[in-house]
C-alpha cells in the first residue's frame, strides 16, 4: 500500500509549468507548483521560461508503485529529483541558457601554455601547448588557475573557487595525463610536489579530513586521513533533531566512539538497523516534509542516478542529558518502513 504521490516543482528561473500538456502554474526558486499525480504512468513536464536568455525545457518521468523509475530520468540534464518519504516527489528544473549566455571563456598564456577556462554546464579547463591539447573538468565555480612546473617536468595547476575553496590539478608527462585532482578548504603544495589538503566534510558538527599525497615519480601516494575540525572546534548539536543527524553523519564518517556518545548508555543497540542503513547511505538530511504518522524523524539519502535521490526516514527519540557532545542523548532510533 502506498500513498498517492504529490509532485512539487521548483525552477531555477521563473517559468510557466505544464504537466502532460496542461498549464499547472508558475514556478521559481521560492514558489513551487504542487499537484497530486498518478502512482503509475508517465509524466511529461514542460517549463517555458519567463525571463530572456533561457531555453524551454521538456522532460519525462515514469512512475511505478508511487515512486520514480530511475532509468526513466537517468542522464536527463536540467532536472533533479528527490523522492521524499510520505509520497512527495520534488523536482528542480534548471533550463539551459542560450548559447550567447551559456559559456564564459577565460584565456591565459603562461610559459607557452594556453589555458582556457570554459564555464558552462560543466566547467572545463582546456590546455593547449603547440599541437598538444587536453581538457579536464574543474569545480563548477572555479577561477583560472596558476601553473607550477615541477623539476622533473610534471605540472600542477592551483586555483580557487568563487566560494573560496582551493583546488589543485596535477598532470604527468602529457597535458592529458591527470594524476591528481583535489578540492578542499585549503590546498597546499611542497617544493617536491607533495600535496596537502583540508577537506570540509560538510556535516553539521563540522568535521574535516586532512589528506596528504607524497609524490613518487609520476604517482601521488595518499597517507591515512586525519580527522580535524573545519572551524577549529566542533559545533555540537543543540536539539534532538540535530543530535539524530549528527549520529547518522558520524556513522557515515566511521567515527564509532562519537556515534556512541550521542546515545543514552546502553541505548545504541536499539539503533543497529538505522546505523547499518546510515553506513550504506550517501548522506543525511532533515526531513523537508512532515510524515503522515507525525513521527520525529530525519532522512537518509541514497542516490539512484546522478540526478535522482531517494530519502528514507529514520525515527528517533531523545532526552535531555548533558555531556561533552551536546545536551541531548538518543534513547531510540529505527528505520520507518
Amino acid at each position: 500500500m502506498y500513498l498517492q504521490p504529490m509532485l512539487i516543482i521548483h525552477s531555477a528561473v521563473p517559468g510557466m509549468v505544464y504537466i502532460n500538456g496542461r498549464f499547472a502554474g508558475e514556478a521559481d526558486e521560492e514558489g513551487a507548483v504542487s499537484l497530486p499525480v498518478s502512482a503509475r504512468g508517465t509524466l511529461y513536464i514542460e517549463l517555458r521560461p519567463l525571463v530572456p536568455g533561457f531555453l524551454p525545457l521538456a522532460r519525462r518521468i515514469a512512475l511505478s508503485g508511487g515512486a520514480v523509475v530511475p532509468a526513466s530520468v537517468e542522464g536527463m540534464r536540467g532536472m533533479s529529483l528527490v523522492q521524499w518519504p510520505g509520497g512527495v516527489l520534488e523536482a528542480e528544473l534548471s533550463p539551459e541558457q542560450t548559447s550567447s549566455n551559456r559559456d564564459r571563456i577565460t584565456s591565459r598564456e603562461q610559459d607557452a601554455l594556453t589555458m582556457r577556462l570554459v564555464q558552462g554546464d560543466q566547467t572545463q579547463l582546456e590546455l593547449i601547448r603547440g599541437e598538444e591539447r587536453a581538457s579536464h573538468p574543474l569545480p563548477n565555480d572555479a577561477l583560472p588557475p596558476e601553473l607550477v612546473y615541477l623539476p622533473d617536468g610534471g605540472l600542477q595547476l592551483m586555483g580557487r573557487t568563487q566560494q573560496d575553496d582551493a583546488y589543485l590539478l596535477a598532470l604527468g608527462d602529457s597535458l592529458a595525463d591527470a594524476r591528481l585532482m583535489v578540492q578542499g578548504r585549503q590546498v597546499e603544495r611542497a617544493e617536491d610536489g607533495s600535496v596537502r589538503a583540508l577537506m570540509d566534510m560538510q556535516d553539521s558538527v563540522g568535521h574535516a579530513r586532512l589528506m596528504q599525497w607524497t609524490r613518487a615519480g609520476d604517482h601521488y601516494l595518499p597517507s591515512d586521513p586525519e580527522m580535524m575540525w573545519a572551524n577549529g572546534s566542533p559545533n555540537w548539536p543543540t536539539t534532538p533533531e540535530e543530535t539524530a543527524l549528527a549520529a547518522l553523519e558520524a556513522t557515515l564518517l566511521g567515527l564509532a566512539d562519537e556515534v556512541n556518545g550521542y546515545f543514552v548508555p546502553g541505548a545504541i543497540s536499539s539503533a543497529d538497523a538505522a546505523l547499518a542503513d546510515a553506513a550504506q547511505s550517501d548522506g543525511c538530511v532533515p526531513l523537508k516534509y512532515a510524515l503522515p504518522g507525525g513521527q520525529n524523524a530525519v532522512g537518509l539519502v541514497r542516490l539512484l542516478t546522478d540526478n535522482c535521490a531517494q530519502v528514507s526516514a529514520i525515527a528517533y527519540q531523545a532526552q535531555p542529558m548533558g555531556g561533552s557532545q551536546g545536551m541531548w542523548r538518543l534513547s531510540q532510533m529505527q528505520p520507518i518502513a
Side-chain angles (χ1 to χ4, degrees):
M1 184 68 179
Y2 44 78
L3 299 173
Q4 181 180 18
M6 174 65 70
L7 176 64
I8 299 176
I9 300 176
H10 297 272
S11 173
V13 300
M16 297 185 298
V17 176
Y18 290 77
I19 306 293
N20 292 347
R22 295 183 178 181
F23 177 68
E26 182 179 336
D28 55 27
E29 288 187 325
E30 301 298 327
V33 170
S34 303
L35 72 165
V37 295
S38 174
R40 58 169 53 88
T42 303
L43 297 174
Y44 297 92
I45 300 174
E46 181 182 359
L47 177 73
R48 302 179 187 178
L50 292 171
V51 293
F54 294 88
L55 299 174
L57 177 71
R59 293 293 182 264
R60 181 184 67 236
I61 303 173
L63 298 177
S64 178
V68 176
V69 178
S72 72
V73 298
E74 188 169 9
M76 285 194 176
R77 292 164 47 185
M79 179 178 68
S80 58
L81 298 167
V82 179
Q83 183 84 53
W84 292 94
V88 177
L89 175 60
E90 189 171 30
E92 173 77 24
L93 304 178
S94 302
E96 185 178 354
Q97 292 182 287
T98 57
S99 58
S100 60
N101 296 328
R102 184 174 65 250
D103 296 336
R104 181 168 67 84
I105 299 177
T106 302
S107 295
R108 175 186 297 173
E109 287 200 26
Q110 184 175 339
D111 299 332
L113 177 67
T114 299
M115 297 181 287
R116 301 174 73 241
L117 190 65
V118 183
Q119 291 177 312
D121 293 332
Q122 168 64 61
T123 297
Q124 295 285 333
L125 179 65
E126 297 180 356
L127 303 173
I128 305 171
R129 184 173 55 194
E131 298 298 318
E132 189 179 8
R133 294 172 177 263
S135 179
H136 300 279
L138 290 183
N140 274 344
D141 58 348
L143 299 172
E146 295 291 338
L147 175 65
V148 177
Y149 282 98
L150 299 178
D152 61 359
L155 303 177
Q156 290 180 342
L157 298 104
M158 294 187 65
R160 301 201 70 83
T161 70
Q162 295 178 30
Q163 301 300 317
D164 207 31
D165 276 353
Y167 69 88
L168 180 144
L169 171 64
L171 306 179
D173 294 334
S174 71
L175 296 183
D177 185 16
R179 293 289 180 171
L180 180 67
M181 176 64 203
V182 180
Q183 180 181 358
R185 175 170 290 196
Q186 299 174 11
V187 179
E188 302 171 352
R189 60 171 302 278
E191 290 298 321
D192 64 358
S194 298
V195 177
R196 176 177 172 175
L198 181 66
M199 301 176 179
D200 193 335
M201 296 292 97
Q202 303 295 327
D203 68 308
S204 58
V205 176
H207 292 92
R209 181 173 287 142
L210 182 64
M211 288 288 298
Q212 299 188 65
W213 290 266
T214 301
R215 192 164 185 266
D218 284 340
H219 300 283
Y220 288 83
L221 307 178
S223 65
D224 291 333
E226 179 182 350
M227 295 303 296
M228 304 183 69
W229 300 114
N231 297 311
S233 61
N235 179 33
W236 297 119
T238 60
T239 68
E241 181 186 57
E242 289 177 359
T243 304
L245 282 171
L248 297 175
E249 290 169 340
T251 300
L252 195 55
L253 294 173
L255 304 175
D257 289 341
E258 184 176 318
V259 173
N260 193 64
Y262 291 120
F263 283 84
V264 171
I268 195 170
S269 60
S270 72
D272 286 347
L275 298 181
D277 287 351
Q280 300 300 318
S281 73
D282 296 298
C284 315
V285 293
L287 290 186
K288 194 171 181 179
Y289 305 98
L291 296 176
Q295 304 98 320
N296 292 324
V298 291
L300 292 179
V301 180
R302 184 167 65 94
L303 296 178
L304 305 179
T305 69
D306 59 353
N307 64 337
C308 183
Q310 182 181 59
V311 179
S312 58
I314 301 293
Y316 65 86
Q317 295 180 10
Q319 60 189 58
M321 182 182 291
S324 61
Q325 294 178 201
M327 63 179 295
W328 293 90
R329 291 292 179 270
L330 300 167
S331 57
Q332 199 171 30
M333 177 177 275
Q334 65 275 329
I336 298 177

